[in-house]
Amino acid sequence: MSRFPRGFVENSSSKEETKTARRPSICFRPINPCDLERLEQIHRDIFPIRYESEFFQNVVNGGDIVSWAAVDRSRPDGHSEELIGFVTAKIALAKESEISDLIRYDSTKGEETLVYILTLGVVETYRKRGIAKLLINEVVKYASSIPVCRGVYLHVIAHNNPAIRLYKRMSFRCVRRLHGFYLINGQHFDSYLFVYFINGSRSPCSPLDLAVLALNYMRSGIKSVASKLTINHEEKGSKWLKSKDNTRCLLPTQTKRNLASERVSSGYDYV
């Protein structure tokens, strides 16, 4: 995620475009409280979902979220420290993650962890300069420096092809497709789950990996068929019900998966 769902959108003036025409001097630093307003604005411009104030406060104040800001030190007029890109992430326990079955655990290392990328973005006038890749590299370097960390993972909406190509080029591996993961404006969208294994967590392409991937796809296909059969059964048996005033009304059934998707999309993890 993110990675991004509907492409990047940034309302930039022609003045800013002129400034970024020169070769930028990109540097990285932690996001801090003075970035709050700019960070919120970029998130509003890029993402189709809204993030709560608590999320931004956590980012800028260095709570349980780690972050990197990309800035262009070549920008004049006091804008050299203004955010032109960012990535936010958090540490999660490997055994409690949704990829716990894919992790090769080392009992001698104690409580093992993962780094989950929450949000990643670059303003429009600075795209196609490799900044997103550099930001992801910062996260991977950070995760690799933690001995008990086993990988970096994230979700990306299934139709965000540029992000998917980027992660594949960076050796992230697509391990699952999650059906109906995102709920945006009342519509469900699938998500891909990408993982970058580190610190010996998984070999690049072992027989076990292939077996796990095959099993996951089989499970996904079985669930999809079962879901369609259930829907067809419901439509035949109880799709239309009569209300008290003898009018016909369609009563949609909300499944547990739909409820889970709503909870997911209200959090921080849109990549």
Side-chain angles (χ1 to χ4, degrees):
M1 80 77 295
S2 196
R3 54 316 228 194
F4 275 27
R6 291 190 175 179
F8 301 110
V9 178
E10 171 69 10
N11 296 321
S12 303
S13 65
S14 58
K15 183 178 180 181
E16 183 175 4
E17 291 174 0
T18 300
K19 291 177 181 177
T20 57
R22 68 184 59 144
R23 186 175 181 84
S25 175
I26 305 300
C27 298
F28 302 97
R29 61 168 175 77
I31 296 176
N32 55 55
C34 70
D35 298 314
L36 178 60
E37 184 177 348
R38 175 71 167 168
L39 183 68
E40 291 178 332
Q41 182 61 54
I42 299 176
H43 274 74
R44 285 194 298 268
D45 291 340
I46 290 177
F47 301 108
I49 59 176
R50 294 291 172 259
Y51 292 81
E52 298 177 356
S53 175
E54 179 184 357
F55 166 72
F56 295 109
Q57 291 295 332
N58 203 339
V59 173
V60 302
N61 291 311
D64 59 351
I65 295 178
V66 291
S67 64
W68 290 261
V71 298
D72 180 3
R73 294 281 165 78
S74 68
R75 293 183 69 185
D77 304 327
H79 293 286
S80 63
E81 285 297 316
E82 186 174 87
L83 266 65
I84 53 90
F86 61 85
V87 62
T88 64
K90 67 176 179 180
I91 295 177
L93 290 177
K95 66 180 182 182
E96 296 177 0
S97 74
E98 55 196 303
I99 59 169
S100 60
D101 58 319
L102 303 178
I103 300 298
R104 180 181 296 155
Y105 291 95
D106 184 348
S107 59
T108 65
K109 291 190 175 183
E111 196 78 283
E112 296 179 316
T113 63
L114 296 163
V115 172
Y116 178 69
I117 294 180
L118 299 166
T119 60
L120 167 69
V122 178
V123 301
E124 186 177 23
T125 52
Y126 280 88
R127 289 173 203 157
K128 298 183 179 179
R129 298 173 183 263
I131 296 173
K133 179 179 179 179
L134 292 173
L135 284 165
I136 296 170
N137 281 336
E138 291 296 316
V139 179
V140 171
K141 286 191 295 183
Y142 167 76
S144 300
S145 71
I146 304 173
V148 295
C149 186
R150 314 302 282 162
V152 177
Y153 74 114
L154 56 92
H155 296 93
V156 59
I157 203 164
H159 61 252
N160 189 0
N161 293 322
I164 291 169
R165 288 194 295 268
L166 170 63
Y167 295 128
K168 287 182 176 179
R169 287 198 304 268
M170 297 188 68
S171 299
F172 277 75
R173 296 172 52 199
C174 183
V175 295
R176 290 195 175 105
R177 178 166 184 150
L178 306 173
H179 296 282
F181 182 82
Y182 291 115
L183 179 59
I184 303 171
N185 297 326
Q187 184 176 357
H188 290 281
F189 296 90
D190 292 355
S191 167
Y192 289 118
L193 181 59
F194 279 86
V195 185
Y196 186 96
F197 294 105
I198 60 173
N199 293 333
S201 177
R202 181 69 65 203
S203 59
C205 188
S206 67
L208 177 60
D209 290 333
L210 298 177
V212 170
L213 286 175
L215 180 60
N216 287 335
Y217 279 118
M218 289 176 59
R219 287 175 176 172
S220 176
I222 292 172
K223 289 180 180 179
S224 178
V225 172
S227 175
K228 290 178 180 178
L229 291 174
T230 301
I231 291 172
N232 289 336
H233 176 72
E234 290 175 350
E235 288 178 346
K236 292 178 181 179
S238 59
K239 179 178 180 181
W240 292 94
L241 300 176
K242 288 187 178 292
S243 62
K244 291 182 179 179
D245 61 355
N246 270 342
T247 59
R248 300 179 80 193
C249 59
L250 176 63
L251 301 181
T253 301
Q254 187 175 39
T255 66
K256 290 182 179 180
R257 185 176 65 184
N258 290 340
L259 291 172
S261 297
E262 289 177 359
R263 287 195 294 270
V264 167
S265 64
S266 64
Y268 307 150
D269 49 2
Y270 201 96
V271 175

